[in-house]
DNA sequence: ATAGGGTTAG
């Protein structure tokens, strides 16, 4: 077959199977020079299974006897366009080892990929190569470089690259602008915005979301009305801005009036309802969506997981896997799903998912491992949790807090304290969640004095104890028999005590048979919660123990006909 | 090459 014929075939070919046939012909005829062209053509396809494509492109590259820089550039650009950033960077490194001179496509795509995965080590080394290979005047490469620094928030370097650029495009301006917006430097952004020659929609949109994120919705609205042309993103930026300011109603108004909507509009709105705790409205919107993509499923599943509806989260996850057009779950899906399993204490559901990890094409990363630490710890497998914790690449605040809490609920107070000290040594500042775990640990170990010291040390880190922290302290004092201290703590709380706090006191009164405080506590509990049978039964058993039969009788009469055996409150505080 | 969307701990 002639080379020209093969080139025509290449232009028509649209499946991997056809490409393989053409490739075979190329090999038979010895037209190796046609391989880069085939790769190039294939990568222009609009296909859904990028990973298969990417793997194939990669293997083609390695079948070339001497891969040329053009082919490398094509494949690297393809990977970065399809969001396979880690793969793109590793390809660039491989190419660099062959001592080929990269194309501008290769360099700019590699820089973009570094920016997305925050691989600054690689990014900066490519920065060095930019000078070596003489891309000082290439707008694409320089803009990608500027964008890299802009994205990680190093505005000084970003500005330096920008100032030294011989040619700037509107993209370069926008890149710098979005960096200032993200850094919250609105003054600089505003000044830059006024200087941009030939602003486009993206410049306007960046400025709008800058004002909206800073809480200045009024100014965002003004710009929105003044801008010469609006696109979908302009509307979406306004919706996101309203949601950031908590005005869900205005967000919904914009959502309803916009001329067209895309997935981003829907997801922004769903996430907004989720943050506001309005799960029903979120689900209603979700059901109205025509084409649900991965991100819309993720938003809805996360909505359930974050609003204490783990069963619904898992149900939706199962629905997602059963769709006609298969939606491939990703790491973010699993993070929410693991959180749901953890809330249910359902380790077996996770094991089922784990057995499908390869099918999903998901590799465990630190983020998922942290979610798993919480799951395993909650299910009592503290050793497995420790194993995951030790295998983390980097232990951050969330990982430490999850592990400390895990130790706390598993009665390993000394481990929790050790972890806390280790965390401080690594200069990671604790937050309220860390202290919840730590206080839980002291509570389970019954270490009253140390626990109280710990509670008082919160202010050293600028932390104000929440109602839950007070609840744990009341429980700790109360169980140890320091009922007066527990009561004093409640009276001195800076906020209104809730049923949980009074309930902890009531339980302590039951343990130590204190009628006076028990009556006070139960009165507050009844005032604060509708389902009060559990509280009453606790009080009644106090009466019974101290042989106040009349009071016990009276109380039981009041509860007649009510079933309090399955009361969730009593099981929450059940003694070990 | 730039804007607008979904992840983990109580």
């Amino acid at each position: 077959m002639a080379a020209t014929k093969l080139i025509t075939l290449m232009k028509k070919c649209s499946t991997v199977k056809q490409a393989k046939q053409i490739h075979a012909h190329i090999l038979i005829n010895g037209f190796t020079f046609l391989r880069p062209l085939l790769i190039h053509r294939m990568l222009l396809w609009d296909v859904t299974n990028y990973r298969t494509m990417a793997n194939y492109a990669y293997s083609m590259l390695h079948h070339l006897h001497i891969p040329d820089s053009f082919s490398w550039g094509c494949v690297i650009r393809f990977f970065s366009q399809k969001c396979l950033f880690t793969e793109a960077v590793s390809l660039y490194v491989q190419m660099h080892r062959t001592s080929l001179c990269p194309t501008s496509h290769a360099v700019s795509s590699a820089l973009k990929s570094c920016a997305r995965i925050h691989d600054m080590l690689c990014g900066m080394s490519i920065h060095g190569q930019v000078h070596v290979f003489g891309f000082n005047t290439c707008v694409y490469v320089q803009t990608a470089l500027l964008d890299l620094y802009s994205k990680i928030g190093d505005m000084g370097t970003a500005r330096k690259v920008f100032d030294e650029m011989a040619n700037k495009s509107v993209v370069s301006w926008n890149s710098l602008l979005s960096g200032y917006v993200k850094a919250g430097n609105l003054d600089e952004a505003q000044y830059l915005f006024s200087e941009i020659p030939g602003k486009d929609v993206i410049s306007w949109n960046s400025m709008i979301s800058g004002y909206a994120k800073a809480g200045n919705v009024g100014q965002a609205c003004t710009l929105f009305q003044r801008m010469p042309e609006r696109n979908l993103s302009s509307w979406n930026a306004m919706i996101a801005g309203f949601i950031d300011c908590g005005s869900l109603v205005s967000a919904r108004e914009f959502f309803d009036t916009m001329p067209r909507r895309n997935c981003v509009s829907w997801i922004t709105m769903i996430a907004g309802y989720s943050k506001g705790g309005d799960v029903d409205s979120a689900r209603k919107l979700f059901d109205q969506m025509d084409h649900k993509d991965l991100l819309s499923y993720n938003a809805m599943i996360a909505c359930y997981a974050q609003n204490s509806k783990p069963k619904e989260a898992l149900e939706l996850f199962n629905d997602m896997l059963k769709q006609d057009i298969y939606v491939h779950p990703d790491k973010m899906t699993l993070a929410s799903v693991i959180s749901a399993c953890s809330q249910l204490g359902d380790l077996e559901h996770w094991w089922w998912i784990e057995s499908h990890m390869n099918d999903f094409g998901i590799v465990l990363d630190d983020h998922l491992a942290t979610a798993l630490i919480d799951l395993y710890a909650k299910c009592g497998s503290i050793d497995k949790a420790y194993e995951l914790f030790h295998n983390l690449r980097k232990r951050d605040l969330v990982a430490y807090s999850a592990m400390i809490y895990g130790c706390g609920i598993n009665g390993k107070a000394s481990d929790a304290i050790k972890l806390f000290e280790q965390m401080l040594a690594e200069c990671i500042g604790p937050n309220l969640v860390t202290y919840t775990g730590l206080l839980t640990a002291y509570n389970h170990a019954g270490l009253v004095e140390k626990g109280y010291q710990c509670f008082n040390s919160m202010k050293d880190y600028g932390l104000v104890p929440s109602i839950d922290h007070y609840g744990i302290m009341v429980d700790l004092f109360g169980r140890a028999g320091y009922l007066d201290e527990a009561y004093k703590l409640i009276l001195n709380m800076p906020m209104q005590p809730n049923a949980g706090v009074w309930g902890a006191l009531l339980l302590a009164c039951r343990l130590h048979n204190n009628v006076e405080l028990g009556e006070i506590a139960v009165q507050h509990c009844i005032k604060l919660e509708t389902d009060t049978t559990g509280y009453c039964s606790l009080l009644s058993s106090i009466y019974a123990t101290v042989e106040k039969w009349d009071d016990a009788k009276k109380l039981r009469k009041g509860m007649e006909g009510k079933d309090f055996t399955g009361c969730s409150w009593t099981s929450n505080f059940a003694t070990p």
Side-chain angles (χ1 to χ4, degrees), chain A residues 398 401-402 404-405 430-438 458 463 469:
Chain A
V398 180
S401 300
I404 288 172
Y405 185 75
N431 68 3
L432 290 177
V433 184
T434 323
Y435 268 98
T436 304
L438 204 52
M458 288 178 76
L463 299 171
H469 298 94

Side-chain angles (χ1 to χ4, degrees), chain A residues 10-11 29 39 95 120 166 200 214 240 253 270 367 387 410 428 435 444 464 488:
Chain A
M10 267 184 222
K11 285 183 184 162
N29 294 299
I39 292 180
M95 183 206 67
M120 276 322 280
D200 63 1
E253 267 167 31
I270 289 172
H367 207 125
E387 186 193 322
N410 283 284
I428 301 172
Y435 268 98
H444 277 242
V464 182
K488 253 182 244 160

